[in-house]
């Protein structure tokens, strides 16, 4: 695929993402959910008093970065529904760009990157939370860009990429409680690529760059870390009442909850009207099928590599493992609860990885279908159909 064509297609995808997230933003959803109203009032208070806290214990506890951003929007555009939702909508569009950059950095294939970003741009799941004033929308944004800069740093050995990655990752702890699960894939990345750096002969440099990443991350996350050290009860205030460990049979509840969340992508999704068209699959039927194909491809590649002891392409093995680990890690914030499961909001961190697998699966299908003009055009028509279907689902079915 030519670079100029890629740029044009990316601009089209970003324009599509912008349309889906900004069109009728003030009127759909009409008004605010109760939790949004609390968030809006917090942002108004920051705007009026110029007093900002890293954490607000009211309403089960909320990290403060999102409200600071909203108050900044208020200072520019005034206090309104549109300016309140602007932060979420803008974060949604930027995440689509981050999805493209991350996908391209991980796999080096523009088709996968474009398809992954395209599916995210028209995702009902992501569109919905991009138009609601919940701080969770920042989680996919932080994940895509922090991982993008980290893997770009591994490729270029440039210290500034590690600094940027650490800074963005540190900001993640100021976004939403489920981001804390990011420490699981982060630990895997640091350990796995340490072994790769030893294999490739740049271990000491990797250790120095990783140290820079960690220091930057800690410094950015330090304010909220200090807050939780002083008030440890706020660290788990929301999770305590809905945890599987508060049930009579916690292991049984955890297995049940995990199973329910694993099938939400393709079968029965979130039943809460605030989050979804009740019960519909989170990825939709067609994108969900691409997701399964992508997952199957990844698992097959891992099984083949370990069975044949072929670790020449250790980077690809690590990347596939990272995506699978991340997928399960960000299911955990909701799988560890018993309230309202499956829960599309608490699992919002899986979005970048789910749509990356969908992009991989779609690219596999595209490579087979492009062999003839008929099937190639059928693939393009399928993408158009998905786009129209997503528009109808949000603005008409859900909107009404």
């Amino acid at each position: 695929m030519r670079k100029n064509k890629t740029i044009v297609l990316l601009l089209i995808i970003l324009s599509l993402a912008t349309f889906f997230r900004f069109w009728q933003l003030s009127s759909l959803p009409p008004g605010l959910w109760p939790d949004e109203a609390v968030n809006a009032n917090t942002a108004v208070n920051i705007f009026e008093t110029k007093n900002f806290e890293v954490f607000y214990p009211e309403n089960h506890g909320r990290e403060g970065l999102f409200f600071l951003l909203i108050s900044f929007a208020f200072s520019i555009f005034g206090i309104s529904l549109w300016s309140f939702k602007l932060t979420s909508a803008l974060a949604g569009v930027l995440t689509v760009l981050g999805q493209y950059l991350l996908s391209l950095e991980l796999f080096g294939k523009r088709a996968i990157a474009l398809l992954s970003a395209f599916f995210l741009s028209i995702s009902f799941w992501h569109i919905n939370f991009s138009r609601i004033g919940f701080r969770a929308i920042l989680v996919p944004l932080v994940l895509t860009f922090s991982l993008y800069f980290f893997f770009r740093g591994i490729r270029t050995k440039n210290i500034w990429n590690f600094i940027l990655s650490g800074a963005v990752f540190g900001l993640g702890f100021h976004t939403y409680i489920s981001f804390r699960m990011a420490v699981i894939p982060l630990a895997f990345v640091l350990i796995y690529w340490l072994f790769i750096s030893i294999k490739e002969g740049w271990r000491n440099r990797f250790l120095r760059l990783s140290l820079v990443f960690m220091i930057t991350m800690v410094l950015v996350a330090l304010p909220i870390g200090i807050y939780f050290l002083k008030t440890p009860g706020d660290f788990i205030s929301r999770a305590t009442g809905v945890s599987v460990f508060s049930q009579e049979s916690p292991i049984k509840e955890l297995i049940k909850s995990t199973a329910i969340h694993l099938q939400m992508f393709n079968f029965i999704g979130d039943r809460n009207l605030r989050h979804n068209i009740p019960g519909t699959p989170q990825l939709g039927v067609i994108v969900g099928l691409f997701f399964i194909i992508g997952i199957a491809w990844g698992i097959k590649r891992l099984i083949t590599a370990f069975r044949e002891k072929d670790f020449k392409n250790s980077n690809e093995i690590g990347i596939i493992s990272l995506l699978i680990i991340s997928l399960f890690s960000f299911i955990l914030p909701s799988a560890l609860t018993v309230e309202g499961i499956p829960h599309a909001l608490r699992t919002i961190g899986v979005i970048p990885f789910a749509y990356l697998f969908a992009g991989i699966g779609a690219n596999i299908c595209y490579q087979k279908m492009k062999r003839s003009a008929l099937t190639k055009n059928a693939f393009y028509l399928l993408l158009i159909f998905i786009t129209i279907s997503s528009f109808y689902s949000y603005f008409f079915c859900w909107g009404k």
Side-chain angles (χ1 to χ4, degrees), residues 19-20 23 122 386-396:
F19 171 76
F20 270 105
W23 191 56
I122 62 168
I386 297 172
T387 304
I388 295 172
S389 176
S390 182
F391 175 80
Y392 180 77
S393 295
Y394 183 84
F395 291 99
F396 288 90

Side-chain angles (χ1 to χ4, degrees), residues 2 47 80 92 125 135 137 160 166 204 209 216 218 224 226 278-279 291 293 335 355 357 362 395:
R2 293 180 180 178
F47 168 64
S80 67
W125 190 356
R135 67 195 191 284
I137 191 61
W160 286 106
N204 291 339
L209 292 171
T216 308
V218 170
I224 198 166
I226 293 173
F291 168 74
I293 294 171
Y355 284 102
F357 274 122
F395 291 99

Side-chain angles (χ1 to χ4, degrees), residues 182-249:
V183 297
I184 300 174
L186 174 62
F188 170 79
V189 166
L190 292 174
I191 294 170
Y192 187 87
W193 266 269
L194 172 61
F195 283 105
I196 288 182
S197 69
I198 293 172
K199 177 183 174 182
E200 296 177 352
W202 61 290
R203 180 196 63 183
N204 291 339
R205 191 172 185 180
F206 176 79
L207 289 173
R208 288 195 299 269
L209 292 171
S210 297
L211 181 61
V212 169
F213 166 85
M214 293 295 292
I215 291 173
T216 308
M217 179 192 72
V218 170
L219 288 175
V220 174
L222 191 60
I224 198 166
I226 293 173
Y227 174 87
F228 285 135
L229 285 174
K230 292 180 178 178
T231 56
D234 286 339
F235 185 74
I236 56 171
S237 58
R238 173 57 179 158
T240 304
V242 296
S243 171
V244 294
F245 300 109
S246 65
Q247 308 302 305
E248 291 184 4
S249 304

Side-chain angles (χ1 to χ4, degrees), residues 364-377:
I364 291 171
C365 295
Y366 174 70
Q367 296 305 321
K368 295 181 181 298
M369 296 178 73
K370 74 174 185 179
R371 294 170 185 171
S372 75
L374 181 62
T375 53
K376 184 178 181 180
N377 290 331

Side-chain angles (χ1 to χ4, degrees), residues 37-321:
V38 175
N39 294 344
N41 286 334
T42 301
V44 169
N45 184 62
I46 295 171
F47 168 64
E48 292 179 343
T49 66
K50 311 304 179 192
N51 182 33
F52 169 69
E53 304 290 341
V54 295
F55 191 84
Y56 293 85
E58 304 85 4
N59 202 31
H60 303 294
R62 297 160 298 146
E63 294 80 359
L65 176 62
F66 185 62
F67 315 125
L68 181 63
L69 295 174
I70 295 171
S71 69
F72 182 66
F74 285 166
S75 68
I76 299 174
F77 302 104
I79 298 173
S80 67
L81 280 178
W82 185 86
S83 58
F84 169 65
K85 296 180 179 181
L86 173 64
T87 299
S88 294
L90 188 58
V93 175
L94 290 175
T95 303
V96 175
L97 174 61
Q99 185 78 10
Y100 171 82
L101 294 173
L102 175 61
S103 304
L104 185 61
E105 189 62 48
L106 291 181
F107 290 97
K109 295 182 179 179
R110 293 173 185 168
I112 291 177
L114 288 170
L115 285 166
S116 178
F118 168 71
F119 291 142
L120 181 60
S121 74
I122 62 168
S123 159
F124 181 99
W125 190 356
H126 195 249
I127 291 167
N128 182 56
F129 289 119
S130 298
R131 298 172 65 95
I132 295 176
F134 289 162
R135 67 195 191 284
I137 191 61
L138 297 178
V139 173
L141 175 63
V142 168
L143 286 171
T144 53
F145 277 99
S146 61
L147 287 173
Y148 163 68
F149 285 123
F150 189 89
F151 281 98
R152 181 179 172 84
I154 287 177
R155 177 171 58 85
T156 63
K157 314 296 189 294
N158 187 302
I159 190 172
W160 286 106
N161 285 301
F162 284 89
I163 292 173
L164 287 170
S165 178
V168 177
F169 199 93
L171 282 176
F173 294 100
H174 296 273
T175 58
Y176 183 60
I177 187 172
S178 68
F179 182 82
R180 298 170 193 173
M181 292 298 174
V183 297
I184 300 174
L186 174 62
F188 170 79
V189 166
L190 292 174
I191 294 170
Y192 187 87
W193 266 269
L194 172 61
F195 283 105
I196 288 182
S197 69
I198 293 172
K199 177 183 174 182
E200 296 177 352
W202 61 290
R203 180 196 63 183
N204 291 339
R205 191 172 185 180
F206 176 79
L207 289 173
R208 288 195 299 269
L209 292 171
S210 297
L211 181 61
V212 169
F213 166 85
M214 293 295 292
I215 291 173
T216 308
M217 179 192 72
V218 170
L219 288 175
V220 174
L222 191 60
I224 198 166
I226 293 173
Y227 174 87
F228 285 135
L229 285 174
K230 292 180 178 178
T231 56
D234 286 339
F235 185 74
I236 56 171
S237 58
R238 173 57 179 158
T240 304
V242 296
S243 171
V244 294
F245 300 109
S246 65
Q247 308 302 305
E248 291 184 4
S249 304
I251 302 300
K252 179 182 177 182
E253 292 297 331
L254 176 59
I255 294 172
K256 176 184 175 183
S257 181
T258 302
I260 289 173
H261 283 90
L262 287 175
Q263 56 83 50
M264 73 177 182
F265 301 103
N266 300 89
F267 300 103
I268 302 174
D270 196 323
R271 294 178 175 85
N272 186 344
L273 184 63
R274 188 182 70 174
H275 302 161
N276 193 23
I277 297 177
T280 57
Q282 295 301 139
L283 299 181
V285 176
I286 298 172
V287 178
L289 180 61
F290 289 144
F291 168 74
I292 290 176
I293 294 171
I295 286 279
W297 170 85
I299 293 173
K300 182 180 178 182
R301 296 284 285 185
L302 291 179
I303 292 173
T304 301
F306 282 99
R307 185 174 59 196
E308 298 179 1
K309 297 182 179 180
D310 180 13
F311 303 112
K312 293 179 182 178
N313 199 349
S314 52
N315 273 291
E316 183 185 73
I317 294 171
I319 288 168
I320 295 171
S321 300

